[in-house]
Amino acid sequence: MLFDPNHRIWDFWAVRDKDQYHLYFLQAPRAGRAYIRHDLANIGHAVSPDLIHWQRRDDALHKGRVGQWDDLSLWTGSVIGYQDRWFMFYTGRDARTRTQNIGLAVSDNLDIWTRFGQSPILYPHSDWYMTSTEESPESFTWRDPFVVFDPLSHLFYLLIACHDRSRPLGYRGAIGYAVSEDLYHWTLMPPLLSPGWFQDLEVPTIIWWEDAWYLFVSVKAEWYHPSSPYGQPITGTLCFRSENITGPFVIVKPPIVVEKWYAVRPVALGSLWGVLGWRMGEEEGYPEHPYPYGIDNPKALIQTSNRTLQVISL
């Protein structure tokens, strides 16, 4: 597993290049209470041939200079390769307003990253989404960009954790999206997934698996609306399936709950799929969890005959 005795490690994203996985992750010093990590986070980097044995690299990205839009802390993102370059979409927050925004950095080698431009690349449109002028920093959500290419439409899709303004107050958690032909210029669209059952949906990941798109999102138990079809609220990762990347999506039950992991994300293991997750700690109610705030070894993800998902040991 990836564990650092001096730093808490949590949300992550992975990409494979040749025979090596590159893992990017949020990190902050372990000193102090766990919740302060959100204001101290930068993006670390490690590589592995097997997702088990990790070699740390220099950090991928640090907060911006004072006065920039990402000068407080950096949050969750994703990486994709295109035309011999790598593109990292990430969440940044500014110290003055603590607003969440989406930025882009580029790299030729997955090690050295350069910010693209001096501003966020995409803002929420008030026709569909709540904006930072309408919600306090503590409730505003515009984060966790996940990028994927759809070979059917020949477009890139950027999924974003957001708030759908058409949903009831307190249960606006949704996944918005934008489309692009080149990864630099984006057209924002209405929400992709907006069930109206959650305060927030976060850390989205979407994969094409056999004959459908599978969309994974993570939730906390305290975010559920009483009308949610999931029954007993759990902290974990939910999955939705659709034949089209733009939906409509149907629920894939049961939720994915693995040994007190959070933000479970699928990762390709050759021709199979596996999952990684980070071990929750004191902020999530598990102060005695072994190796808290570290990324665990992978497990296998399988589909059953009735299209449910199961996580099993490798």
Side-chain angles (χ1 to χ4, degrees):
M1 68 178 298
L2 179 62
F3 181 81
D4 184 339
N6 298 314
H7 291 84
R8 295 183 176 96
I9 293 173
W10 64 107
D11 289 1
F12 60 88
W13 51 103
V15 64
R16 184 161 186 169
D17 182 34
K18 302 181 178 66
D19 59 349
Q20 194 162 238
Y21 291 95
H22 289 254
L23 190 73
Y24 301 93
F25 48 88
L26 305 189
Q27 61 177 2
R30 285 190 181 267
R33 299 294 297 273
Y35 69 86
I36 67 173
R37 74 187 193 275
H38 302 293
D39 286 348
L40 303 174
N42 66 3
I43 298 173
H45 180 202
V47 296
S48 171
D50 56 9
L51 297 172
I52 298 173
H53 304 93
W54 294 99
Q55 178 186 359
R56 294 290 294 267
R57 294 278 182 90
D58 290 341
D59 293 345
L61 210 61
H62 288 266
K63 66 181 183 180
R65 296 189 304 272
V66 174
Q68 289 186 313
W69 67 271
D70 58 354
D71 65 350
L72 176 60
S73 61
L74 306 183
W75 284 359
T76 311
S78 60
V79 169
I80 194 171
Y82 178 59
Q83 295 184 343
D84 298 322
R85 298 198 86 184
W86 298 94
F87 296 75
M88 180 187 292
F89 297 87
Y90 68 97
T91 309
R93 301 163 67 227
D94 74 276
R96 185 176 65 85
T97 71
R98 305 173 68 85
T99 299
Q100 301 168 22
N101 274 301
I102 307 301
L104 170 63
V106 295
S107 175
D108 294 324
N109 56 17
L110 287 169
D111 283 303
I112 300 172
W113 293 90
T114 303
R115 285 171 169 80
F116 174 75
Q118 301 297 317
S119 304
I121 62 164
L122 192 64
Y123 296 94
H125 196 294
S126 59
D127 282 355
W128 306 307
Y129 303 103
M130 299 301 294
T131 68
S132 60
T133 60
E134 298 173 290
E135 291 189 317
S136 69
E138 290 74 23
S139 61
F140 176 65
T141 296
W142 189 252
R143 64 176 182 263
D144 303 350
F146 182 84
V147 63
V148 67
F149 180 72
D150 173 34
L152 184 62
S153 63
H154 301 285
L155 292 172
F156 294 97
Y157 284 72
L158 190 67
L159 278 56
I160 303 165
C162 62
H163 281 165
D164 180 349
R165 69 182 309 110
S166 70
R167 294 301 189 178
L169 179 65
Y171 300 99
R172 291 173 170 157
I175 302 299
Y177 80 104
V179 294
S180 173
E181 295 180 348
D182 62 5
L183 292 168
Y184 293 106
H185 306 91
W186 293 90
T187 300
L188 188 62
M189 307 297 286
L192 186 79
L193 178 70
S194 181
W197 300 326
F198 306 99
Q199 175 183 314
D200 275 300
L201 300 174
E202 59 181 0
V203 196
T205 309
I206 193 167
I207 63 172
W208 178 260
W209 192 358
E210 295 183 356
D211 59 354
W213 290 97
Y214 286 78
L215 171 58
F216 299 79
V217 294
S218 290
V219 295
K220 302 288 181 63
E222 60 268 27
W223 293 349
Y224 286 67
H225 190 277
S227 68
S228 161
Y230 286 94
Q232 181 68 30
I234 58 93
T235 292
T237 299
L238 311 179
C239 184
F240 299 81
R241 184 184 70 248
S242 174
E243 294 180 0
N244 300 303
I245 194 169
T246 55
F249 286 88
V250 299
I251 298 169
V252 179
K253 289 185 178 182
I256 298 172
V257 182
V258 186
E259 297 179 359
K260 303 182 179 66
W261 285 9
Y262 191 64
V264 173
R265 301 191 102 160
V267 59
L269 303 175
S271 60
L272 305 175
W273 284 101
V275 289
L276 289 174
W278 58 268
R279 289 174 173 245
M280 293 186 283
E282 65 174 90
E283 187 182 11
E284 297 75 31
Y286 301 102
E288 305 302 325
H289 194 191
Y291 302 105
Y293 303 110
I295 299 172
D296 219 334
N297 293 336
K299 295 183 180 294
L301 183 68
I302 62 171
Q303 291 190 55
T304 66
S305 57
N306 61 354
R307 284 184 174 268
T308 63
L309 300 181
Q310 290 185 358
V311 175
I312 61 175
S313 297
L314 287 169

